[in-house]
Amino acid sequence: EVQLLESGGGLIQPGGSLRLSCTASGFTLTSYAMSWVRQTPGKGLEWVSAISGSFTYYADSVKGRFTTSTDSSKNTVYLQMNSLRAEDTALYYCTKGSANYRPYYFDYWGQGTLVTVSS
Amino acid sequence: EIVLTQSPGTLSLSPGEKATLSCRASQSVGSSDLAWYQQRPGQAPRLLIYGASSRATGIPDRFSGSGSGTDFTLTISRLEPEDFALYYCQQYGASRTFGQGTKVEIK
């Protein structure tokens, strides 16, 4: 059974850093593209980043501030978030892609981890 | 960026009725790279439809998707109590964008 378990969210001040983790089970993480998608009441669902093999992709809104990576030994994907802004406040979901190459849809989602950026 | 516009914003129906949800793209979605997701309160989105018309594993056949190019439709043939939820479309052909969602509520 495929499962994705996110962790690492919390309250952080503007300008701070946070690292989200997503541990996968039921499949080999590096065989599929993995993405982070965030959700806010105001902007809805927004794709944030993806990692596919050694390639990474980012939304313009986070490029240069967020970095995604994987640790195959832990079957875990990470989202390092730096220079956080109030507008980064959201529920962050880890998602599994249907393939390791585009085009792919998100066939499994974690339960999400909440990031709140506020002073 | 491809912008997806879903309509209506809210659909008020009774159990057993048919629901028709629309998703319109600002430009053609190549190869029908369009998915639909359901989100129940307090839960993560769940994949319903991919490739515009293929049902995901375990999805009941009362859910169907259709369309191509810029116009796509999700149809729920007979609403069950658990179908009252939020529905999102997403294109995954050119980067990845989501519609703003349609809420299906009990009338």
Side-chain angles (χ1 to χ4, degrees), chain A:
Chain A
E1 180 190 6
V2 171
Q3 290 191 334
L4 300 169
L5 184 61
E6 302 101 331
S7 60
L11 175 63
I12 187 76
Q13 291 189 338
S17 297
L18 210 55
R19 188 179 80 159
L20 306 184
S21 301
C22 170
T23 299
S25 58
F27 70 101
T28 301
L29 183 143
T30 51
S31 295
Y32 297 88
M34 298 296 294
S35 293
W36 291 91
V37 175
R38 64 187 181 186
Q39 184 172 32
T40 62
K43 293 186 69 176
L45 291 165
E46 179 189 19
W47 169 78
V48 172
S49 73
I51 184 164
S52 173
S54 59
F55 296 97
T56 55
Y57 308 87
Y58 301 95
D60 288 344
S61 58
V62 306
K63 200 172 291 182
R65 300 188 298 124
F66 290 12
T67 303
T68 191
S69 61
T70 57
D71 184 336
S72 57
S73 67
K74 297 181 179 179
N75 220 34
T76 297
V77 59
Y78 302 98
L79 183 66
Q80 177 67 44
M81 304 185 294
N82 298 330
S83 303
L84 282 162
R85 307 167 180 166
E87 55 264 36
D88 296 318
T89 294
L91 183 61
Y92 284 73
Y93 291 105
C94 172
T95 70
K96 172 186 169 293
S98 56
N100 198 18
Y101 45 85
R102 289 179 58 191
Y104 55 83
Y105 46 89
F106 305 132
D107 56 3
Y108 290 92
W109 297 60
Q111 282 305 301
T113 186
L114 182 62
V115 173
T116 303
V117 184
S118 175
S119 54

Side-chain angles (χ1 to χ4, degrees), chain B residues 65-79:
Chain B
S66 63
S68 64
T70 60
D71 288 289
F72 299 87
T73 301
L74 175 70
T75 302
I76 311 171
S77 58
R78 295 175 313 280
L79 284 163

